Amino acid sequence: MTLDNATRERILAEVDAGFDAQLAFTQELVRHPSLRTEESSAQDLMFAAMQDRGLEMDRWELDVDDIASHEGAGIIDVSYDDVDNVVGTYHPALEAGRSLILNGHIDVVPTGPESEWATSPWDSRIDGDWLTGRGSGDMKAGLVANLFAFDAIRRAGLSPAGRIHFQSVVEEECTGNGSLAALQRGYTAEAVVIPEPEEDMLVRANVGVIWFRLRVSGKPTHPREMSSGFNAIDAAHHVVGRLRELEDRWNAQKDSHRYFEDLEHPINFNLGKIAGGDWASSVPAWCEVDLRVALYPGVTAEDAWTEITDHLATVVDDEHGHPITARTTRNGFFAEGYVLDEGSDAENVLRGTHREVFGDELRTFTTPGYLDGRVFTQYAGIPALVYGPISEAIHGYDERVSIESVRRITKSIALFIAEWCGITEARAESDPGRSHSS
């Protein structure tokens, strides 16, 4: 439906009226260190916030066997005990509008040495237009924006006419299994909005990702006779260097992948972790490196993995002719990239709401990062609009999100809900969410 000017202004005014509470709740959520497998307290907060809004609640522990049976699942190498998804569902009195999923992930990446942050990563500090803290941009500000956009509609005396599923999922930063588990549980809709930190833009395409561990074996000796041994750490660096040949080859193919032609280096092989050796005075007998490898949309994870392992099979010795023994183990993402097809009704509605709030046309871009949007697009045919606020240093020190950008994104999402789902007039409701705003 198309909103009249007066209705739009009512909704936008209520976003402003509730924004201090929204910001305070975002700060509270950031203060919960929801690292992988440690998301419970943050999910408690999200569950209570959704429950207070009168949503139909569902919280469940991810089932390893169910997830592993899906072709899009990532490898699970941690315990899923107390690793829960939270979904709150709004049911209109009469479902006459289009359905919607408002999705976001609660998990955050490690902080690195906290001494390198200006203040604690969990302080949730505000400085001018910036809210700083691990997960502030990626993506707790967007997760909270979903709820408060809904609040603004109801405070305006309106009720969405379509079913809405609010999803707070785990595992986005490592496997994508949280959103996948929600889809397996039966949560579908006619569109998905995911307010990841995307610089006030819409993601048109993004890469897939494979995680794996490479273990290289060496021959330990005493350093006094080092040349008779074989250094596994040196050998591991050699193997990764040879993998760069494949990285270069895939980047050279970017012109054959639509939306990636103009990216300088869309395919990145990131050496993210390394461990090796047992003793400073022994030539190391082993080395393990963890890698994150990107792949283009349209390339299956299975085909990419075959190329990786085939290329590694050609690495039989190092530059000195020492034979190399290397083994690979997948240990996380096994995900394909995706493209959001142009011209969907959902995108057209978002273009209109963005124009209304920002006074400018919605821009789209391609990211060489992973996004859960692929789950809904690839496995359910649902257009996934990944669209969110301006941020800086996500995954880095002093991660932060622009507060005014969050305000504008919240307004755009609120208008999107109203136009996509439709609205009906309702009796004024008590202010949902106020009890969890401070």
Side-chain angles (χ1 to χ4, degrees), residues 19 23 26-27 30 119 123-133 136-138 141 197 199-200 389-394 397-406 408:
F19 193 70
L23 186 58
T26 305
Q27 287 182 279
V30 170
T119 59
D123 275 355
S124 197
R125 174 172 52 92
I126 291 177
D127 184 10
D129 184 48
W130 297 99
L131 168 59
T132 299
S136 57
D138 190 13
E199 315 308 304
D200 295 341
I390 294 169
S391 66
E392 292 183 352
I394 61 172
Y397 299 135
D398 299 317
E399 174 184 350
R400 62 185 192 170
V401 65
S402 164
I403 294 169
E404 285 307 309
S405 174
V406 172
R408 292 190 296 268

Side-chain angles (χ1 to χ4, degrees), residues 65-265:
D65 292 335
D66 283 351
I67 293 167
S69 68
H70 195 285
E71 61 178 311
I75 300 300
I76 302 164
D77 66 350
V78 299
S79 171
Y80 274 0
D81 291 346
D82 297 322
V83 175
D84 298 346
N85 276 347
V86 171
V87 175
T89 299
Y90 163 80
H91 293 285
L94 176 63
E95 190 166 336
R98 291 179 289 198
S99 56
L100 178 63
I101 292 171
L102 294 170
N103 171 282
H105 66 86
I106 196 73
D107 55 311
V108 301
V109 301
T111 63
E114 294 193 12
S115 60
E116 296 297 320
W117 289 66
T119 59
S120 167
W122 317 112
D123 275 355
S124 197
R125 174 172 52 92
I126 291 177
D127 184 10
D129 184 48
W130 297 99
L131 168 59
T132 299
R134 174 57 84 230
S136 57
D138 190 13
M139 65 165 289
K140 291 181 177 179
L143 191 58
V144 173
N146 285 338
L147 282 176
F148 278 80
F150 176 69
D151 290 349
I153 293 171
R154 297 208 294 177
R155 280 199 307 268
L158 304 166
S159 295
R163 170 175 39 90
I164 305 173
H165 301 296
F166 295 86
Q167 299 182 345
S168 179
V169 302
V170 294
E171 288 284 295
E172 191 272 350
E173 297 286 6
C174 45
T175 62
N177 288 347
S179 285
L180 191 62
L183 185 63
Q184 285 182 304
R185 202 165 174 87
Y187 290 108
T188 62
E190 291 163 274
V192 179
V193 174
I194 308 177
E196 290 270 15
E198 304 299 355
E199 315 308 304
D200 295 341
M201 294 186 286
L202 173 68
V203 175
R204 175 62 64 204
N206 68 272
V207 297
V209 169
I210 294 173
W211 274 15
F212 69 97
R213 178 168 296 142
L214 177 72
R215 183 179 177 96
V216 178
S217 299
K219 179 183 176 183
T221 64
H222 194 286
R224 70 183 181 182
E225 50 199 24
M226 191 168 68
S227 61
S228 67
F230 179 56
N231 189 311
I233 295 175
D234 287 343
H237 281 288
H238 175 76
V239 175
V240 172
R242 290 291 308 278
L243 272 174
R244 299 287 180 207
E245 298 169 356
L246 184 60
E247 179 185 34
D248 290 343
R249 187 159 77 232
W250 286 2
N251 274 295
Q253 298 167 359
K254 66 179 184 177
D255 287 348
S256 15
H257 295 275
R258 190 180 181 196
Y259 304 117
F260 289 82
E261 309 96 320
D262 296 330
L263 271 63
E264 181 179 352
H265 200 271

